[in-house]
Structure formats: C-alpha cells, structure tokens
Amino acid sequence: MSQEQRQRPKEEQFPKQEPIKYGDVFNVSGELASQPIKPRDAALMQATENQALGQTQKGSPASVMQSAAAVNAAVGLVNRDDMSDIAKNQGVAVFETKVGGNRVITESVGSEIVGQFVEPDVPMNDPGLVLDPEAITIGEALEASGLTPAGDKPLDQSDAAAIQAAEMRATGKNHTEPGGLGAIAQSAATKNTRTMPAFQKTTLADVVSGAREKLGGDKAVTRQDAEGVIGAELRNKPDMRTTPGGVAATVATAATLNQNRKSA
C-alpha cells in the first residue's frame, strides 16, 4: 500500500451517504429540490391525501414520500420527528378540478407541484359493473386511448406499465400473459428507448389497436380497475403526472361513464 493510500482521509474512502431529496424522486426545482424528504412531511401529505381522496393512492406522491422518508430515517440521515422548513411554513396541498367527467388531482409541497393525476368520478363504495352489458370494458377503453392525441406519441414505460395493469385487471390474473398485450407493450417500450428517429418508434395507438382481441379476457371498467391503472402509470412517470388522454386517463373516463350510466 502506498503512503498516499495510507494517509487518505476516511471520508474519501467511505463517502458520506446522502439522504433522498425531493429532487431525486420528483420533477421539482429551487430550494425544495435539495431538501431531504422527512417523515413528518410524508405523514402530512398522507393525511392530506386521505382527507381529500378518502385514501392514499398507490404510487401517489404521498406513498413515494413515505418510502423515501422511511429509508432516510432507517439509515439515520433524518430523525423520525423531522419536518422540512418548506412543509412546516408553506404546507402541503391536495386539490382537485373537474375536467370532462374526471377529477384531476394536483398535489404540491410549498409552491412546487409534485404530482398530478386523474381519478374517476366514482363513489369509493362502487360495487362494480361486471354484469352490465352496456358498460365500457377495459379492452374498449384501451382502444379508445389510441384514438386520442396521446395515441400518436411513442409508447414509453409508463404506458407499458398502465397497459400491463389493465391487462391483469381484465384477465383477473396477477401476471402478464406471454405474448399478450402487456408483453407486447413492454417489448415496444424497451425497443423505443433504442430506436431513433422518433417516426420509427412504436406509438401507443400501434399497441392498443385491437386490444379487445389481444386481451386474454375482458370486463367492465370499475373504479378499482382505474385506480390500479392510474397507480401503475404514475409509478413509471418521472414527473408523477398521468398523460392527458393516455391509458390511465381513458380508463378513468370509462369508469366514470359506467358509473353515470348505472346511476341514470
């Protein structure tokens, strides 16, 4: 061992671990981006989500913050009762607007938006519409997403994840079928990351066209189906925002239309 190696400071040999910061998991800037995610920030967002939505949405900003804060606390980088100055002084917010038949949920920490996604305008205790022959099915909703402006965009990992979640809800299985729609979507998303130029990429419409025939089963869209698809898309979007007119948004619209038809 050389003299230089023997005298190297310990902190250079073992770099100090950094906490997970807001900028590591959310598309934010400014002061918030450099702030560690702390346990009481996460608890506050969870409580605010629960109050506004009735539950914490899987894959939502609150669930991401809970995971990050738990890691930060577990390795001793923050205390379990810590709260960031921004959350303490500016608060967190969850608010909704109505767009068409859906609720658009926007969540923020201070002045920075950390997530935006659609929710079907369906009661939490919706029993489902499996036996309604007039209800929009998951396959039909997937096909409809290909007819929106989002259908022309290159298919990415968030689209593939949403399609896989939709397939599992349609078939009632907890895995994607080999050669099925979800597998096709994943293959296309992976290929698109290596394909240039853009016009050669596989689009969302290319994959969901004829979805009813590609699925191994189908069923009417319920709120629970929509929530599963929304969560899958959110977890795979760096900006935590569902694509307007994309798979999650279209499935959410279908759930709302089904509920409205049942209530009429």
Side-chain angles (χ1 to χ4, degrees), residues 6-262:
R6 286 196 299 271
Q7 294 179 350
R8 182 181 298 172
K10 186 175 296 185
E11 58 269 22
E12 288 185 22
Q13 299 176 47
F14 304 101
K16 183 180 178 182
Q17 186 173 356
E18 292 290 327
I20 301 171
K21 303 179 179 66
Y22 279 94
D24 295 329
V25 294
F26 297 118
N27 186 24
V28 295
S29 58
E31 182 183 357
L32 183 65
S34 62
Q35 293 295 306
I37 299 178
K38 298 183 176 180
R40 288 182 61 194
D41 295 25
L44 180 60
M45 181 61 86
Q46 181 185 22
T48 307
E49 267 194 22
N50 286 339
Q51 183 177 17
L53 308 178
Q55 64 179 0
T56 297
Q57 169 72 46
K58 188 175 182 180
S60 70
S63 65
V64 172
M65 288 170 65
Q66 286 173 321
S67 298
V71 171
N72 286 343
V75 296
L77 297 173
V78 298
N79 294 321
R80 295 189 182 279
D81 60 351
D82 278 356
M83 189 177 201
S84 69
D85 288 339
I86 292 177
K88 182 188 302 182
N89 298 328
Q90 301 180 38
V92 305
V94 178
F95 59 92
E96 70 173 74
T97 54
K98 289 288 184 71
V99 177
N102 289 328
R103 304 156 63 207
V104 177
I105 311 300
T106 303
E107 304 194 18
S108 62
V109 176
S111 61
E112 293 278 350
I113 293 176
V114 294
Q116 188 173 65
F117 55 95
V118 293
E119 277 274 296
D121 194 10
V122 177
M124 288 290 294
N125 60 353
D126 172 41
L129 303 136
V130 176
L131 301 179
D132 184 353
E134 300 299 319
I136 301 168
T137 69
I138 291 174
E140 290 171 333
L142 288 173
E143 290 179 357
S145 69
L147 302 177
T148 71
D152 294 329
K153 80 178 191 72
L155 184 134
D156 61 24
Q157 183 56 50
S158 68
D159 302 316
I163 291 169
Q164 289 173 327
E167 179 186 51
M168 288 188 283
R169 298 293 305 193
T171 63
K173 299 177 180 178
N174 61 2
H175 63 272
T176 56
E177 292 290 324
L181 185 61
I184 293 170
Q186 183 58 62
S187 176
T190 301
K191 183 179 178 182
N192 278 350
T193 63
R194 302 191 295 262
T195 301
M196 293 294 286
F199 70 83
Q200 293 181 348
K201 295 178 184 285
T202 301
T203 66
L204 174 61
D206 293 333
V207 172
V208 298
S209 176
R212 282 174 287 180
E213 287 71 41
K214 297 174 184 175
L215 287 171
D218 208 357
K219 65 183 287 289
V221 182
T222 67
R223 179 189 177 99
Q224 290 73 26
D225 299 326
E227 288 177 343
V229 174
I230 291 165
E233 187 169 307
L234 279 178
R235 289 191 296 274
N236 289 274
K237 285 288 290 292
D239 60 0
M240 296 290 289
R241 302 187 186 202
T242 51
T243 301
V247 174
T250 307
V251 172
T253 297
T256 299
L257 293 173
N258 283 348
Q259 174 64 24
N260 292 343
R261 180 180 287 111
K262 185 178 70 170

